[in-house]
Amino acid sequence: MENSTLAIVVPCYNEAEVLPQTNKQLCALLDEMIGKRLVGDSSYVMYVDDGSRDRTWEIIAEYAAASSHVRGLKLAGNVGHQNALMAGLDTARQDADVTISIDADLQDDIRAIPEMVKKYNEGCDIVYGVRSKRTTDSFFKRTTAQMFYKFMTNMGVKSVYNHADFRLMSLRAVNALCQYEERNLFLRGLVPLLGYKTDSVYYDRLERQAGESKYPLSKMLSFAIDGITSFSVKPLRLIFDLGALFLLISLGILVYVIVALCQGRGVQGWASLMLSIWFVGGCMLICLSVIAAYIGRIYTEEKHRPRYNIEKYQK
Ligand code: UDP
Ligand code: MG
């Protein structure tokens, strides 16, 4: 298996600042691995330009022209991290035997890559890169991410703790993944569903080399909601639980009212009435929004729109 063609897939969105660093390090690593016969000579790094508005594509095109080990895939517009990654994997399976996906900012330690390949050579189809600590991330990023993982687990979504999108996948794993047709992609929830032999390698999360995070809180939130709604129907169950609770409470109130009436006490003030109207109204709105979230997803899935459009593929 030592001649497997490895494709390192790197989604890039406005990463002009960090790309020179990234390319230097990834190419050096690839050369080293080819030299050690860990992977075949036809291995390559594929940068997927996710509709960047800065010089990202010019830089990628330059690297692709200069080296046979670098390729660039230019998407016609910004489709988001997950879809861009999917575009890269889908394209790489034309000629790669094994793929590794990694972010452009080099926050994931590239020294884990040879270890992943070793596990692949030992027969693993999927190898997760797992962060053993994330002290270099800001306190905010760390705690919100931690809450996200906890919440996802509680909502019944199977995912690997502290694993993002740094992973190795064999050709047949990628082929299997490409058969999942959903548009609200949440890869780290999908991959564990594939069921092939998996393993993990551990690394320390590093500082972003340059540029800044493209995942502000708003994007993280919608990512989390995507993750939950596309994998779990638990929120629908929660509506039922909430409804049952309310019914119980109203029963309690009914008993209270009857007792109060029998004791001859007058009608209570309107404050309690107003309060409950608002309270129930608020809860109904929340419940409605949960249903709306699902309907929204059904709506986008039902259209079967393409996930991405390729503008150019430079080898
Ligand atoms: N990315 C992308 N499209 C987007 C947003 C991000 O391809 O719309 C890429 C980005 O270039 C990077 C990766 O996804 O390679 C992860 O993004 P980032 O490092 O900003 O996220 P963070 O690590 O802060 O969660
Ligand atoms: Mg990052």
Side-chain angles (χ1 to χ4, degrees), residues 20-31:
Q21 275 263 23
T22 307
N23 189 53
K24 207 167 101 191
Q25 296 194 24
L26 283 180
C27 286
L29 181 82
L30 198 60
D31 281 344

Side-chain angles (χ1 to χ4, degrees), residues 11 13 15 50 78 81 104-105 107 141 208 213-215:
Y13 178 58
E15 298 286 10
D50 184 18
N78 181 252
H81 180 198
D105 55 13
Q107 276 192 290
K141 180 94 195 177
R208 210 178 205 286
S213 173
K214 272 77 188 173
Y215 264 102

